[in-house]
Amino acid sequence: MMENIQATLHKGPAVEASRPIKMTSKDVIVHYGAKQALNGITLDIPERQVTALIGPSGCGKSTYLRCLNRMNDTIDSAKVAGKILLDGEDVYDPDIDVVELRARVGMVFQKPNPFPKSIYENVSYGPKIHGLAHSKQEMDEIVHTSLRKAGLWREVHDRLDEPGTGLSGGQQQRLCIARAIAVSPEVILMDEPCSALDPIATATVEELIDELRENYTIVIVTHSMQQAARVSQLTAMFHLGDLAEVGPTEKMFSNPDDKRTQDYITGRFG
Amino acid sequence: MSTFTIIPIVFVIGLVGAVMAYRRSRALVGKDGVKMHSRPTYHASFVACWGIIPALLTLAVWLIVSPIVISTNVSGNFPEGVLAQSQLTEGLAYGIVESIGTGLRVLPDDERATITDTTPVADVTALLRNRGIPTASAATDWMVPLALQLNSLQFWSRWAMTLVVFVVAVAGTFWSYRQIAPRLRARNNVERIVNGALIAASSIAIMTTVGIVFSMLFETIDFFSRISPAEFFFGTVWEPRFSNVGSSGNAGSFGFIPLLAGTLYIGAVAMLIAVPIGLFAAIYMAEYADNRTRSIVKPLLEVLAGIPTIVYGFFALITVGPFLRDLSAQISGLVSGNYVSFIEAQSVLTAGLVMAIMLIPFVSSLSDDIITSVPTSLRDGSLGLGATRSETIKRVILPAALPGIVSAVLLTASRAIGETMIVVLAAGVAANLTLNPFEPMTTITVKIVAQLTGDLEFNTPQTLVAFALGMTLFVITLCLNVYALYIVRKYKEQYE
Amino acid sequence: MSDATANGIADTAAGRKPRRDIGIKKRYAAERRFKAYGIIAIAIGLGFLVMLMWSIFSKGYTAFWQTEIQVPITFSEQVIGTAEQANDSQTKLLMANYPQLARDGLIQLLGISADDKKAVSAANGLISSGTRVTLRDIVMNDLSVIGTTENVWLYASSELDSALKGQYDLNVPENRRPISDLQLEYIDKLEQQGAIEQRFNWGLFTSGASSRAETAGVGVAIIGSLYMMLIVLVLALPIGVAASIYLEEFAPKNKFTDLIEVNINNLAAVPSIVFGLLGLAVFINWFGLPRSAALVGGLVLTLMTLPTIIIATRAALRAVPPSIRAAALGLGASKNQTVFHHVLPLAMPGILTGTIIGLAQALGETAPLLLIGMVAFVADYPSTPLDPSTALPVQIYMWANEAERAFVERTSGAIIILLGFLAIMNVSAILLRRRFERRW
């Protein structure tokens, strides 16, 4: 298992230590009603890198991810404390607008959730509500580029008017990614984006993530350590609401400091 | 013996059988080495079922079939002259024979004995009038023997029925009691009967629909044999005359158009008010309100749905109608200086407005269900792109929920069309054909009530038209309901 | 607008790179407007509820009080005959001129001359003509009162009652109001003597139909409704539960069960008046059951309530987890035993809640009852479900058509009673659900 993971690591480039920090969080604590889900997470997310959040289920990694663009606001019982900064601004500051925030920090969900509309409308939805295109040509341009960036263009360019729900699972998820890209976010959050996909579709999406790294800061939650090893430069290990360890992916998988990380990546629990 | 005495006696027979079966079964267990297949209670139930069910079925069949047999028999003896005439005359004549027969049964024995087949009808009606029983003036001599025949047929039928039912009950009990043995699979038998009963219970729903269709179908066909369908469906004048009942003269005009127009107009006014309000209330409750607000507001709105429609009707009659009338007088006073009310107390607007109040909770709770069943993943998908709540609702949730909302609107429309008590009290009875919402119009339901309340002979176009109206109403609402249910079913499947 | 946004951000976070303009301000205005529509819609809905309730209660609460006048009645032998005569034949007793007793008592109380025709008729107008029945019942119950004088509380006439409740404007000229100045003078006199009082109106709950508002009550209608509710309960509950058990636990998925499903859902939405036509054609014309009978009303309401009960029962059965069924079947129980011993008892609270709600619906239903002849003037209590009777909502309908001012008050009062019953039923359904709610 270890060998396997280390073998995959050669694919990913080494972390550039001097990357500027895009988002940072200090002592983030989350309660769901009476239950505490996160016990103070402090983590820096470097710009234009893929940061993977790993850990056993229920460890709080999805909760943390949903804090980054305040998707937790949609859950009534969730209470968030601590500081999360995007380019130095606190995203939980009352002056910060949640709509604007989400336009900058996009999100892709676990289950592909295309709207029951055409492929074109799915992608153009974000730019339309944010008023990013001023003409039909501009909108076409955005849609085409986004679909191209999401590696979906070749497969769907001749049927943009067909419903997005008619695509296969992997295509649907790439459509959701295209939909997120179309808003031109600075950060893309991905919540186990491949967990509902088959291995081939997963490989396509992973390649896509690797390409997107050039332009976007990506935070990905994943169950699969191989995936973390394949796509990420930085890995953060969560355990029971705590951040167990964080470090360059290569180091995490070859020489972890924390006993829990070691146990987890060698498959002793999880 | 009357039906209401027969039923308890049948039950007693069955229960006695059950007790005996229980004892016998217990006695069998007592013998050593015997292993019973079923427990004693099942043996008891087995015998009770066999005692009671066949007897009651016999009773039911008899009650349904015997009146038909008797009436065919009696009307077969009508004079040739009557039989040659239309069904209407025959039906009327049978009604008179029946009423004489009922009257005769009330007479004391000594007076009844004086009446024979040859007694002139005048003597009979005189006797009856002495006892305070009115009879139709159209009664003629040949009806007396037929009334006597009717009575004697009914008398013997009743006796035969009592006898047959009891024989069936006792025979069933006795036969099943003899069956009791260790090997008898009583539990399985009883369970099969129970299952049969369950199926029968669930087919009552079908029987009700069949009953509705057939009860109205026959009367409607009868009606259309007197008034042509074209006259009914395309006529623009509604003016049934009650004075000519029974005679072959002009029965009046039965134009359906003014009623349909009134029904649709009032329904449209109500929907125009209720749908936006109900829909926005549902959206607010499903998407914005926190749990506390929801837990207070939702039940309060549902109170509106629980208020009987007669209360709304009274509210319209006493409060809303006069208020609108006075308001319009004030408005016209301010505008023209002449205080004349231009809204009548009973008007399309009054009925529509009050009906809208009744429909609001209906729209809102149906739409609420539909909106909350849109998956959260779609909501998250849109919010995650930075859409505001209202953008998410307008561009994602409502389009996704559209089929469901359409079906909610259709169900609401079906409700509005079938609503009775509000329009009876608030819309008026004049069958106007107008576009002015401030004037009274009438509806299908109002006319059904108007044609069927009061003391009327049953077989006249004036009462039969109510069934034609009811049939039309049923068909309209059936189409709306079935289509709406079909849409909502497809919609729910999509998200399951 | 967008400039302002940009400036605002530049002020607070000077030195940062400028934001994209995504029209935030405008979009939030739209958001606020949209939210406001929702709040307005709910406010309108609740506003209607308040108006409706206020209209009914403000008009109706006075119906629970009835003005009565205490009059010294001399049960004179000249008018009603002696006790011995009464023992021989009740005819004289039944036909006696009781109103005269009341009039004489009132004349004495007010101290006016019996010869003053105008004064006497004014005084006579103060008490209800329903007095005849009140006084007759006193005498018939106890013959020993004959020849004695007793103080009796008599119903005031509906005009006096309405006037004292402030329902007439007494400042208009005398000929335009139903109470004359002379009568007002008498009322003052009676008030000084303490002989006139607003007392709790038990008659509203016990009396039957009457053409005089002051003696009309919903007692008979309540009994009629009670009979119908009993019939609905006895028929609809077992049939509804049986049908639901079959559909939920036994039925195979086929065309027939599909048909039943569509049927039930459709029946729940068929206009109630159509059920009235069904009742008229089938139960009355075909089976020959009597018109106006509570039995027919009960049968019609049963058919109407069945879909509601079936839908609720099926939901309750579905909420029982499959593990319970598996456990029972695993112990060797038959399918029937599993359902009747385990599933059904666990679903019972839900079933009862649904049944109560269905009954409440049936209780308020009016239209079908009109068609089966329950719009009848029924003054006596029905002793069996086959006797002519009326129902609470139908009584309200009939009173709503009465022109007299005092009947508006009565109608509202009857509506309050009806709403009271409905409130009790719905609250008990909610309590039942809370008390027995089970989380699996």
Side-chain angles (χ1 to χ4, degrees):
Chain A
M1 179 104 186
M2 271 312 252
E3 293 77 49
N4 197 357
I5 290 173
Q6 278 170 359
T8 61
L9 278 174
H10 293 293
K11 274 180 71 188
V15 189
E16 297 159 55
S18 58
R19 279 279 178 199
I21 300 301
K22 182 71 185 174
M23 292 190 85
T24 180
S25 59
K26 287 200 188 89
D27 297 323
V28 173
I29 297 170
V30 177
H31 284 92
Y32 287 123
K35 188 180 162 279
Q36 186 161 353
L38 285 182
N39 319 320
I41 304 295
T42 302
L43 180 65
D44 289 339
I45 294 161
E47 191 170 28
R48 295 187 194 173
Q49 298 277 286
V50 178
T51 304
L53 310 180
I54 62 169
S57 37
C59 66
K61 51 194 192 305
S62 286
T63 304
Y64 176 74
L65 190 78
R66 291 171 71 90
C67 289
L68 296 179
N69 73 343
R70 292 178 56 177
M71 276 306 277
N72 276 335
D73 290 12
T74 61
I75 302 166
D76 282 340
S77 61
K79 293 273 173 301
V80 182
K83 258 189 171 22
I84 296 176
L85 307 178
L86 171 63
D87 289 339
E89 278 177 280
D90 187 351
V91 304
Y92 278 92
D93 190 311
D95 288 342
I96 281 286
D97 190 275
V98 68
V99 165
E100 207 177 358
L101 171 69
R102 288 182 195 150
R104 293 171 65 194
V105 184
M107 189 155 188
V108 175
F109 296 84
Q110 188 168 359
K111 237 179 87 196
N113 55 351
F115 301 132
K117 302 176 172 207
S118 73
I119 293 171
Y120 185 93
E121 283 173 307
N122 260 287
V123 182
S124 65
Y125 174 74
K128 207 183 278 165
I129 55 170
H130 294 308
L132 300 182
H134 300 287
S135 66
K136 176 85 175 90
Q137 282 89 346
E138 270 185 60
M139 184 60 87
D140 286 349
E141 187 54 40
I142 293 176
V143 171
H144 295 175
T145 329
S146 307
L147 284 172
R148 247 184 229 113
K149 280 188 189 161
L152 201 57
W153 177 249
R154 215 165 26 83
E155 292 154 68
V156 302
H157 67 93
D158 51 350
R159 46 174 176 147
L160 292 179
D161 292 334
E162 284 175 29
T165 41
L167 297 173
S168 74
Q171 289 172 323
Q172 284 191 7
Q173 194 60 299
R174 277 182 285 149
L175 178 63
C176 292
I177 293 174
R179 192 173 69 186
I181 295 170
V183 184
S184 312
E186 295 155 37
V187 182
I188 301 176
L189 309 176
M190 298 187 179
D191 191 356
E192 299 187 26
C194 302
S195 65
L197 305 182
D198 61 70
I200 294 169
T202 302
T204 331
V205 173
E206 281 178 5
E207 268 171 45
L208 170 62
I209 293 171
D210 203 45
E211 285 163 22
L212 292 174
R213 183 162 62 90
E214 273 180 39
N215 297 310
Y216 306 97
T217 305
I218 292 170
V219 185
I220 177 169
V221 165
T222 176
H223 250 355
S224 140
M225 286 161 291
Q226 284 93 334
Q227 188 172 58
R230 282 194 298 265
V231 301
S232 74
Q233 288 73 50
L234 191 75
T235 300
M237 161 78 188
F238 281 67
H239 186 253
L240 297 177
D242 290 313
L243 182 60
E245 187 178 359
V246 57
T249 304
E250 199 167 355
K251 179 176 176 295
M252 284 286 280
F253 282 97
S254 54
N255 185 19
D257 291 335
D258 194 281
K259 175 83 171 57
R260 288 170 294 183
T261 316
Q262 199 169 4
D263 287 350
Y264 182 66
I265 60 178
T266 51
R268 245 169 254 161
F269 68 85
Chain B
M1 221 180 274
S2 94
T3 318
F4 291 94
T5 6
I6 295 175
I7 293 174
I9 294 177
V10 167
F11 270 91
V12 168
I13 294 174
L15 289 181
V16 168
V19 171
M20 284 163 60
Y22 188 80
R23 290 192 168 174
R24 174 152 176 195
S25 173
R26 287 289 292 270
L28 282 175
V29 176
K31 291 180 194 157
D32 25 31
V34 178
K35 191 159 177 344
M36 302 291 282
H37 171 271
S38 305
R39 300 186 40 78
T41 39
Y42 281 106
H43 285 122
S45 321
F46 175 69
V47 172
C49 287
W50 272 102
I52 297 169
I53 295 171
L56 290 189
L57 285 179
T58 316
L59 180 69
V61 170
W62 200 293
L63 282 176
I64 293 171
V65 173
S66 72
I68 301 173
V69 173
I70 292 176
S71 77
T72 334
N73 245 315
V74 172
S75 38
N77 289 338
F78 277 7
E80 293 292 321
V82 179
L83 285 178
Q85 285 182 41
S86 75
Q87 271 222 304
L88 168 64
T89 341
E90 199 184 316
L92 279 175
Y94 189 76
I96 300 170
V97 171
E98 243 180 347
S99 72
I100 296 176
T102 320
L104 289 178
R105 280 207 295 279
V106 184
L107 288 181
D109 289 340
D110 50 331
E111 285 179 23
R112 191 167 48 218
T114 63
I115 296 166
T116 61
D117 284 0
T118 51
T119 315
V121 77
D123 294 2
V124 178
T125 41
L127 270 179
L128 290 176
R129 205 173 302 119
N130 278 341
R131 295 281 150 190
I133 308 157
T135 42
S137 53
T140 48
D141 283 349
W142 60 264
M143 287 176 180
V144 177
L146 287 186
L148 287 171
Q149 185 201 4
L150 179 72
N151 273 2
S152 86
L153 277 177
Q154 281 178 344
F155 177 79
W156 287 114
S157 157
R158 194 148 281 275
W159 267 111
M161 176 178 82
T162 311
L163 195 69
V164 169
V165 168
F166 286 159
V167 166
V168 170
V170 172
T173 312
F174 187 70
W175 178 82
S176 56
Y177 180 75
R178 292 282 304 274
Q179 297 291 308
I180 292 176
R183 306 288 311 150
L184 175 68
R185 299 166 77 85
R187 202 199 68 232
N188 306 44
N189 280 318
V190 171
E191 288 184 350
R192 215 169 300 139
I193 294 169
V194 169
N195 282 354
L198 295 182
I199 295 178
S202 39
S203 41
I204 285 197
I206 291 189
M207 276 154 55
T208 308
T209 308
V210 171
I212 288 176
V213 171
F214 278 89
S215 65
M216 293 196 298
L217 195 65
F218 289 132
E219 316 291 354
T220 307
I221 291 172
D222 199 356
F223 172 73
F224 283 137
S225 70
R226 300 161 198 215
I227 308 286
S228 82
E231 202 182 322
F232 176 71
F233 284 114
F234 302 112
T236 54
V237 178
W238 174 270
E239 210 183 292
R241 295 204 193 107
F242 282 104
S243 51
N244 291 335
V245 171
S247 74
S248 56
N250 186 359
S253 316
F254 293 91
F256 172 66
I257 297 287
L259 310 190
L260 183 68
T263 305
L264 295 181
Y265 200 176
I266 292 173
V269 169
M271 301 282 288
L272 219 57
I273 304 171
V275 169
I277 295 180
L279 195 56
F280 270 111
I283 289 171
Y284 186 83
M285 298 239 264
E287 299 290 329
Y288 287 106
D290 54 43
N291 281 336
R292 245 178 65 91
T293 320
R294 224 175 128 84
S295 69
I296 297 170
V297 175
K298 219 171 136 74
L300 275 179
L301 276 183
E302 271 160 19
V303 168
L304 277 177
I307 293 175
T309 53
I310 175 72
V311 179
Y312 284 107
F314 182 69
F315 179 58
L317 183 74
I318 295 295
T319 309
V320 178
F323 170 76
L324 289 177
R325 187 191 56 209
D326 298 345
L327 183 74
S328 73
Q330 289 301 321
I331 291 172
S332 91
L334 286 177
V335 174
S336 67
N338 183 14
Y339 286 86
V340 184
S341 58
F342 55 87
I343 303 181
E344 292 182 45
Q346 285 191 328
S347 68
V348 171
L349 184 65
T350 310
L353 179 63
V354 175
M355 194 188 280
I357 304 178
M358 181 200 82
L359 294 177
I360 289 171
F362 198 70
V363 180
S364 79
S365 77
L366 281 175
S367 323
D368 195 357
D369 278 357
I370 299 290
I371 291 171
T372 39
S373 68
V374 173
T376 327
S377 67
L378 287 185
R379 218 162 270 136
D380 285 352
S382 174
L383 290 173
L385 291 171
T388 62
R389 281 241 172 232
S390 64
E391 285 160 353
T392 305
I393 294 164
K394 279 186 277 191
R395 291 168 186 268
V396 177
I397 295 175
L398 289 186
L402 192 64
I405 289 174
V406 167
S407 97
V409 170
L410 290 181
L411 282 177
T412 313
S414 142
R415 248 238 157 142
I417 290 172
E419 172 48 42
T420 311
M421 295 321 294
I422 293 177
V423 284
V424 163
L425 289 174
V429 288
N432 286 334
L433 203 50
T434 169
L435 277 177
N436 183 353
F438 304 140
E439 280 178 24
M441 270 174 108
T442 197
T443 69
I444 301 175
T445 49
V446 170
K447 284 303 166 195
I448 295 178
V449 171
Q451 299 306 107
L452 286 180
T453 44
D455 290 317
L456 272 163
E457 285 293 326
F458 200 73
N459 276 330
T460 62
Q462 284 79 6
T463 49
L464 288 176
V465 69
F467 288 91
L469 290 174
M471 192 76 192
T472 322
L473 184 68
F474 179 73
V475 170
I476 296 174
T477 54
L478 180 79
C479 293
L480 285 172
N481 295 344
V482 169
Y483 186 57
L485 292 171
Y486 168 78
I487 297 179
V488 88
R489 204 172 191 181
K490 293 270 284 193
Y491 171 75
K492 289 250 160 94
E493 272 166 13
Q494 185 190 337
Y495 291 124
E496 258 165 21
Chain C
M1 191 179 286
S2 49
D3 287 349
T5 321
N7 287 340
I9 288 167
D11 287 346
T12 52
R16 294 226 173 76
K17 61 179 175 182
R19 287 283 164 69
R20 273 185 301 171
D21 171 20
I22 52 173
I24 284 292
K25 225 171 172 179
K26 220 165 154 183
R27 286 166 61 193
Y28 269 122
E31 171 79 13
R32 272 192 302 275
R33 267 200 311 277
F34 194 75
K35 201 170 166 181
Y37 295 150
I39 293 174
I40 291 169
I42 289 178
I44 292 175
L46 296 183
F48 279 139
L49 178 65
V50 171
M51 267 158 54
L52 179 70
M53 289 300 177
W54 187 80
S55 159
I56 300 291
F57 279 85
S58 66
K59 287 196 173 71
Y61 76 97
T62 49
F64 294 92
W65 282 268
Q66 166 70 38
T67 311
E68 293 182 25
I69 303 175
Q70 195 183 32
V71 183
I73 301 287
T74 308
F75 293 96
S76 123
E77 291 183 350
Q78 280 104 26
V79 179
I80 50 181
T82 60
E84 291 77 44
Q85 279 173 322
N87 280 334
D88 291 343
S89 154
Q90 300 230 311
T91 324
K92 173 122 202 233
L93 210 54
L94 283 170
M95 309 299 282
N97 189 359
Y98 292 100
Q100 193 194 330
L101 296 180
R103 192 167 60 223
D104 293 347
L106 202 56
I107 288 170
Q108 188 194 336
L109 191 64
L110 292 169
I112 52 182
S113 154
D115 300 329
D116 185 349
K117 283 261 163 54
K118 201 175 147 223
V120 168
S121 98
N124 206 26
L126 294 179
I127 45 173
S128 161
S129 43
T131 308
R132 172 190 293 278
V133 185
T134 320
L135 292 178
R136 189 177 65 200
D137 287 351
I138 292 176
V139 179
M140 306 270 283
N141 277 339
D142 181 11
L143 290 176
S144 69
V145 297
I146 295 175
T148 64
T149 302
E150 271 184 36
N151 278 330
V152 180
W153 284 100
L154 297 176
Y155 284 142
S157 68
S158 65
E159 288 83 9
L160 169 55
D161 190 44
S162 299
L164 285 190
K165 285 170 181 168
Q167 290 159 356
Y168 291 126
D169 183 4
L170 294 178
N171 294 322
V172 298
E174 193 180 357
N175 58 356
R176 284 178 50 196
R177 54 181 143 91
I179 294 278
S180 68
D181 288 341
L182 188 59
Q183 283 175 320
L184 286 177
E185 202 179 291
Y186 291 157
I187 293 171
D188 281 343
K189 214 179 228 172
L190 289 171
E191 267 170 354
Q192 278 159 20
Q193 295 178 359
I196 190 164
E197 244 180 49
Q198 301 256 331
R199 311 181 89 203
F200 190 78
N201 189 1
W202 290 108
L204 184 63
F205 295 91
T206 55
S207 307
S210 167
S211 52
R212 288 181 297 267
E214 66 274 12
T215 53
V218 292
V220 172
I222 288 178
I223 298 297
S225 282
L226 204 65
Y227 273 135
M228 289 195 283
M229 291 304 106
L230 275 179
I231 291 166
V232 173
L233 188 65
V234 166
L235 290 177
L237 182 59
I239 295 176
V241 170
S244 315
I245 289 177
Y246 177 72
L247 292 174
E248 208 52 49
E249 306 282 338
F250 293 100
K253 262 265 156 250
N254 60 21
K255 281 263 160 63
F256 179 67
T257 45
D258 236 31
L259 185 69
I260 296 180
E261 294 247 2
V262 173
N263 250 297
I264 290 170
N265 287 328
N266 176 53
L267 281 182
V270 164
S272 59
I273 194 162
V274 170
F275 285 93
L277 289 171
L278 169 77
L280 180 60
V282 174
F283 296 129
I284 294 181
N285 277 342
W286 199 22
F287 289 166
L289 293 174
R291 264 170 84 90
S292 312
L295 178 67
V296 181
L299 289 173
V300 169
L301 294 180
T302 298
L303 294 181
M304 278 189 57
T305 317
L306 262 180
T308 315
I309 294 185
I310 291 177
I311 290 167
T313 305
R314 292 186 66 182
L317 289 174
R318 226 174 292 145
V320 177
S323 60
I324 301 282
R325 295 176 182 83
L329 291 172
L331 291 172
S334 72
K335 181 91 184 157
N336 281 42
Q337 287 167 328
T338 305
V339 171
F340 285 98
H341 297 172
H342 300 283
V343 180
L344 193 56
L346 289 172
M348 220 51 209
I351 296 174
L352 290 182
T353 309
T355 308
I356 294 175
I357 289 171
L359 278 180
Q361 262 175 28
L363 179 60
E365 198 52 68
T366 322
L369 302 183
L370 300 184
L371 299 194
I372 55 167
M374 297 197 85
V375 233
F377 187 88
V378 184
D380 298 318
Y381 284 92
S383 50
T384 71
L386 284 167
D387 291 337
S389 56
T390 183
L392 197 44
V394 180
Q395 187 73 68
I396 292 170
Y397 169 70
M398 289 192 285
W399 283 355
N401 285 324
E402 297 275 351
E404 216 178 316
R405 189 73 184 79
F407 266 110
V408 171
E409 173 199 279
R410 292 276 152 159
T411 316
S412 305
I415 289 178
I416 295 174
I417 295 174
L418 176 63
L419 292 181
F421 278 120
L422 293 179
I424 292 170
M425 292 170 90
N426 281 302
V427 166
S428 56
I430 291 169
L431 291 182
L432 196 68
R433 184 156 44 196
R434 290 247 173 93
R435 172 79 180 72
F436 292 103
E437 196 170 49
R438 207 185 289 256
R439 297 218 178 274
W440 300 100

